[in-house]
Structures are given as C-alpha cells and as structure tokens.
Amino acid sequence: MENTPVKKKRIFSAIQPSGAMTLGNYLGAIRNWVAMQDEFECVYATANLHAITVRQDPKAFKQNTEQLYAMLLACGVDKDKCIFFHQSMVPAHAELSWVLSTFTQFGELSRMTQFKDKSARHADNVNAGLFTYPTLMAADILLYQADLVPVGADQKQHLELTRNIADRFNGIYGNVFTVPEPYIPKQGARVMSLVDPTKKMSKSDDNQKSFILLTDQPSVIMKKFRSAVTDSEACVCRGENKAGINNLMDIYGACTGKSDEEIVAEFEGKGYGDFKTAVGEAVVAVLEPIQARYNELIKDRKYLEKCASQGAENAAKLARRTIEKVYKKVGLPR
Ligand code: TRP
C-alpha cells in the first residue's frame, strides 16, 4: 500500500495568565507543550477569559497575559508548529460556552471540587462565571474537536464533565463533537515546594524561597536551592521520609536527563551541599537561554501582537466550522 499519511491527533490546552510562572509550571506542563508540538496538531491558548472569574486590575492583567504569551514562546512554543493565541481574541469560545451551559446541569457544576475550593477562598466574589467556568473550558476543548487534552489532577474532573457534555449533545444531535480523552504526558515532573516538599510548588506561597520563578536571576536560583529543605540522613537517594531529596532528584533528573542511578552514583560520598549546588546549576542552565529569549521577545510588542493575531485567525477558522454546525443543529440563525 502507498504511504498514507496518518492524520495527527489534535491536542488542546490552555494556561491562565495569573502572574509569573514557576519551575513547576515549566517542568510539569510547558515542557510537554513544547514536546507535543512534533507529535500532535496542537492548539494552545492563554485562558484569559477564565482568569476574569477572579477580579483583575486591567492594566496588570493585560501585561500578565502578554508576558505569559512571550514566556511560552521563549520556552519553545513555536507559532509555526502550532496554533497559539489569546482565548479572548476568538469570540467562538464565549458563543459556544453559552450554548453548552444549557446542556450542563446545575447539580453537575455544584459538584466541581475546584468551584467549591475557589468559592470558599473568594467568598466575597462567588460570581456566576466562577460557577460556569467548566462550561467555558468544555467550549475551549470541543470547539477544536480536540482528541486529547493533557490534564493534571486538578483539571481531571473538568475534562470528565466536558466528555459528558459532548456525549449529551451528540446523543441529541448526532456526532457533532469529538469526545476528548485525557492525555498523560510521558514526562511530567511534579515539582514540590523547596521549603515544604510535601506541598506542590506554588507562586502564591507566602515564602518566596519555596518557589523558583522562570524569571529569577541565576544568583537567586542558586540561593533558593542552597536553602532547600532536605533531611539529616546525608544520602542522595530516594526514600520514604526524604521528600526534599526526592524533589531535588526529580528536578535534577528533569533538567539533565540523568536517571536516578546516575544521580546516586554521581553524588555517592558527597554531601547535600554539593548536590544542591549541582541542582541549582542545572536549573540555571535550563533557564538562562529561556530568559535570554524572553528578554528579547518582551521588548518586541509588535511581534508578539502579530503572532497572537495570526494564531487567533487560524484558531477562528477551525472554531467557525464547529460553531456553525452547533448553531444549525440547535436552530439558531447566524
Ligand atoms: N482551567 C485550566 C487551568 O486553570 C486552564 C484551561 C482553560 C484549560 N481551558 C482549558 C486547560 C482547556 C485544558 C483545556 O489550568
């Protein structure tokens, strides 16, 4: 048989612009975004419509969104290999979200653990958008007929709901939506806090030493790793009560490609001081070229805007097909 080209599966993912990004975001998610571009047809967005479910200062918000876009490009998201845009620039997200909200039950949304958590944390602003947040997410995914969605534990329930909404709609109107599957990337480091390694690394931690920002200066990165919490065993090896060392080994492995055995052998007979310095240096080596590219990109506003509008145009083309089908099926003139 002739070589028939296999159609690549389509992936959709988005990240909320909520301030600076951490090493955890990079090793846990963004690095996979970059890797997936070769294997899949990727559609990526900054989820800025999701972000306004929490009150934002307009100027800082716009800046944050642009910085996120530039940082993702600096990390290797390639506008020529994927479609990469700001969610707000493609109106179909909001349009489909409304339609899908009428196929989503109040009870289902009430059961979303993220809604319960967020409404407890922002008790003064439990807005309807916070409640219907998952229908907008379903719209993001279904609009592009995505086959796969890379999800962490925190978004699993939302993807499950997306699948239910798609099934429900398809059950009534025929096969309109691709029902997306979760995609668990091959390499997905879960980076923990450097101060309390039983907690996930988070930039909202009060202790600045607990997280590495992608924009941290090398000297700051080295300092934070030197003060990282370890244990009193003085053995660079994995163990049950060695959350700190386990985390540093994860980070070191992710940044150098070294296996656990190689790391253990490398630091046999050496102290934690040497190991922490090596981890810091490995992280600096990964982040320095990213920071150099970021500093160039962030100065070039015109270029960033051009990339985003080009991405939005391509996204809108794909989105239009779905939205036209949906409106027609439901009986909405367009
Ligand atoms: N809600 C996601 C988060 O906070 C971001 C997001 C928005 C997303 N739309 C999406 C993720 C669609 C995957 C698919 O992390």
Side-chain angles (χ1 to χ4, degrees), residues 12-16 47 50 87 114 133 137 140-141 149-150 154-155 158:
F12 182 89
S13 195
I15 302 188
Q16 282 196 59
H50 280 100
Q87 187 187 29
Q114 195 171 76
Y133 180 113
M137 211 171 130
D140 295 343
I141 297 165
V149 181
D154 61 330
Q155 298 299 324
H158 290 160

Side-chain angles (χ1 to χ4, degrees), residues 249-250 252-263 266-267 278:
M249 284 180 70
D250 284 342
Y252 191 59
C255 290
T256 61
K258 289 177 185 170
S259 67
D260 278 1
E261 296 80 60
E262 287 170 310
I263 298 170
E266 184 177 352
F267 294 96

Side-chain angles (χ1 to χ4, degrees), residues 204-216:
S204 42
D205 198 309
D206 290 331
N207 191 339
Q208 302 264 329
K209 284 184 178 170
S210 72
F211 54 81
I212 304 285
L213 295 180
L214 297 186
T215 48
D216 275 346

